[in-house]
Amino acid sequence: MNTENRYQRQLQLTGFGKEAQKKLAMAKVLVIGAGGLGCPALQYLAGAGVGTLGIVDFDTVSLSNLHRQTLYATEDVGKLKVEVATKKLKALNPEIEIVPYIVQLNNQNALEILKSYDIIIDGSDNFSTRYLVNDACVLLDKHLIYGAVMRFEGQVGVFNLERNNLKTNYRDLFPTPPDAASAPSCNDVGVLGVLPGIIGTWQASEALKIITGIGMPLANKLLTINLLHNSFYEFQLAKNSKSEMEMPKDATALLQFNYDWFCNKAYENILSCKAFDQLLKQQKCLIIDVREPNEMPIITEFETLQLPLSRFSESIADKTFNNTVVVLCQSGQRSLKALELLKKQHPKLTAFSLEGGITQWKKSH
């Protein structure tokens, strides 16, 4: 197949040309997460001719993914995202290499997976993975392209890329994890389908600029986009004196670092799905669902008391609780806030938040 014809429209760009295309062919980019951000990033990087694309994801396609993860179709529901993505990306561009990693990234495998790549694109949707990826990139000296979305607003930035004697990382932006109870995910509050497409494509654009040397990457900057108001804000980042306080200093420290605990250390009363099942068998707990009434999925496996978080404080003010209480929501974040309110009003109550929410519990059954 004629390679020059495939890439003709970018080859004819002033300042791009054959040398830039050769750089793309030699480049290796790892995309973490084949979801809302990863899908568009992968599609455009494959189309552009990035020589090696790695994909890390262990999840399967669900119907609720399809409004924003346009790499997949209805017929792909239930299939592994990495396998579907690999097949479709090879069909898009058979001249490049796709390396699938059907694993959950953790501190035991991160350094081994990331070390072979030039640029890392973080398309994850949780803080523990973001901190892990950042720390691994710092230790390996890899450029990291960050993206995040929620509701109608998205963020993109480039970390660990030196410009003007400055090299910032994710911990300079967030030295400590944001309060999980006040930082809901898309599972909890939703996202406009086109937004991940825009941010993921922007991440791909940053990768192309870094690889080819064209333009000005968002090094040491954070760009925020609000689709409702058509607003764009660019923030200059600086080194944060607190950023290195808890960061692992070497590979051994990273292997020993507990990222889940680090990102949820303010919450000791988090109940695993397995422990929750044990409580269900004993039939000695009250389960409170703090989701709004119209949220899916519907729970039919056990009885719940519905007390939406928006009215939670007044709802529990006059209540008496005789059993252990388990609070749940969609993903385990709003339930943390509800648990905090519950313990404040009933300090002696034995209460827990269900880890991962009803979404994770249903996946495990």
Side-chain angles (χ1 to χ4, degrees):
M1 195 173 290
N2 190 320
T3 297
E4 287 196 13
N5 190 46
R6 176 182 289 276
Y7 306 118
Q8 181 183 0
R9 292 299 184 269
Q10 62 193 36
L11 283 169
Q12 67 191 55
L13 286 169
T14 302
F16 194 92
K18 291 183 179 180
E19 287 305 311
Q21 194 63 52
K22 287 179 182 178
K23 291 177 181 178
L24 289 178
M26 296 296 292
K28 296 182 177 181
V29 177
L30 181 70
V31 177
I32 298 171
L37 298 174
C39 282
L42 285 164
Q43 287 171 285
Y44 279 99
L45 291 174
V50 171
T52 302
L53 284 177
I55 314 172
V56 179
D57 203 302
F58 66 99
D59 203 3
T60 56
V61 179
S62 66
L63 192 61
S64 63
N65 296 152
L66 301 184
H67 90 294
R68 65 194 183 282
Q69 299 177 24
T70 55
L71 189 55
Y72 312 119
T74 303
E75 64 186 17
D76 298 321
V77 170
K79 299 176 183 177
L80 286 165
K81 290 183 178 180
V82 169
E83 291 183 348
V84 177
T86 298
K87 182 179 179 181
K88 294 190 177 182
L89 293 171
K90 287 296 289 184
L92 171 64
N93 191 347
E95 298 177 3
I96 66 172
E97 181 182 3
I98 309 293
V99 183
Y101 299 92
I102 308 174
V103 296
Q104 183 170 11
L105 197 73
N106 56 47
N107 58 348
Q108 302 302 305
N109 60 25
L111 293 175
E112 184 64 27
I113 292 174
L114 269 62
K115 71 179 184 181
S116 301
Y117 294 88
D118 309 311
I119 294 174
I120 313 300
I121 292 182
D122 184 4
S124 64
D125 60 359
N126 63 85
F127 289 111
S128 58
T129 302
R130 288 170 184 161
Y131 279 97
L132 167 62
V133 171
N134 175 79
D135 295 352
C137 285
V138 171
L139 290 177
L140 295 169
D141 197 23
K142 303 291 184 182
H143 307 319
L144 172 61
I145 303 175
Y146 158 77
V149 293
M150 185 175 69
R151 296 190 179 102
F152 305 97
E153 188 169 298
Q155 300 176 338
V156 62
V158 175
F159 299 126
N160 215 39
L161 176 63
E162 186 171 344
R163 285 291 186 273
N164 300 320
N165 297 315
L166 177 65
K167 186 192 288 188
T168 57
N169 65 73
Y170 183 73
R171 286 182 184 262
D172 291 311
L173 180 62
F174 296 114
T176 57
D179 178 1
S182 61
S185 69
C186 295
N187 284 341
D188 286 308
V189 298
V191 63
L192 190 66
V194 298
L195 179 61
I198 293 169
I199 299 300
T201 302
W202 208 301
Q203 288 178 284
S205 174
E206 292 301 305
L208 296 178
K209 288 190 288 183
I210 295 169
I211 294 166
T212 60
I214 64 172
M216 296 177 61
L218 285 166
N220 307 314
K221 295 178 181 178
L222 183 73
L223 178 69
T224 68
I225 302 169
N226 187 302
L227 294 187
L228 279 187
H229 308 297
N230 299 315
S231 58
F232 291 75
Y233 297 98
E234 188 178 287
F235 301 93
Q236 181 71 44
L237 302 179
K239 291 299 292 181
N240 190 315
S241 58
K242 298 179 181 179
S243 67
E244 296 183 6
M245 290 177 61
E246 295 196 64
M247 184 186 295
K249 300 299 186 290
D250 53 34
T252 301
L254 186 135
L255 287 169
Q256 297 172 346
F257 197 95
N258 189 329
Y259 286 90
D260 289 332
W261 178 86
F262 174 67
C263 293
N264 294 286
K265 58 186 176 183
Y267 304 97
E268 297 178 355
N269 297 337
I270 297 177
L271 193 68
S272 68
C273 291
K274 187 175 181 180
F276 177 57
D277 286 340
Q278 292 299 317
L279 276 178
L280 285 177
K281 288 178 182 178
Q282 297 171 12
Q283 297 182 333
K284 292 182 179 179
C285 65
L286 171 66
I287 304 163
I288 300 178
D289 183 353
V290 299
R291 299 178 300 162
E292 298 302 316
N294 61 340
E295 289 189 53
M296 302 292 283
I298 296 171
I299 300 173
T300 58
E301 295 86 349
F302 47 82
E303 291 185 3
T304 64
L305 174 64
Q306 195 129 32
L307 299 177
L309 184 59
S310 57
R311 304 187 297 276
F312 192 76
S313 291
E314 53 266 37
S315 299
I316 63 172
D318 300 320
K319 283 193 177 296
T320 301
F321 300 97
N322 299 316
N323 293 325
T324 296
V325 172
V326 178
V327 187
L328 62 80
C329 64
Q330 196 78 356
S331 67
Q333 292 187 313
R334 282 175 291 175
S335 58
L336 289 173
K337 182 64 178 177
L339 178 64
E340 183 182 316
L341 296 171
L342 188 62
K343 295 292 284 184
K344 187 177 292 185
Q345 294 198 29
H346 302 274
K348 295 183 179 180
L349 179 66
T350 300
F352 301 94
S353 169
L354 180 61
E355 184 180 24
I358 192 61
T359 300
Q360 184 169 314
W361 185 85
K362 281 187 176 282
K363 278 186 177 181
S364 65
H365 289 75

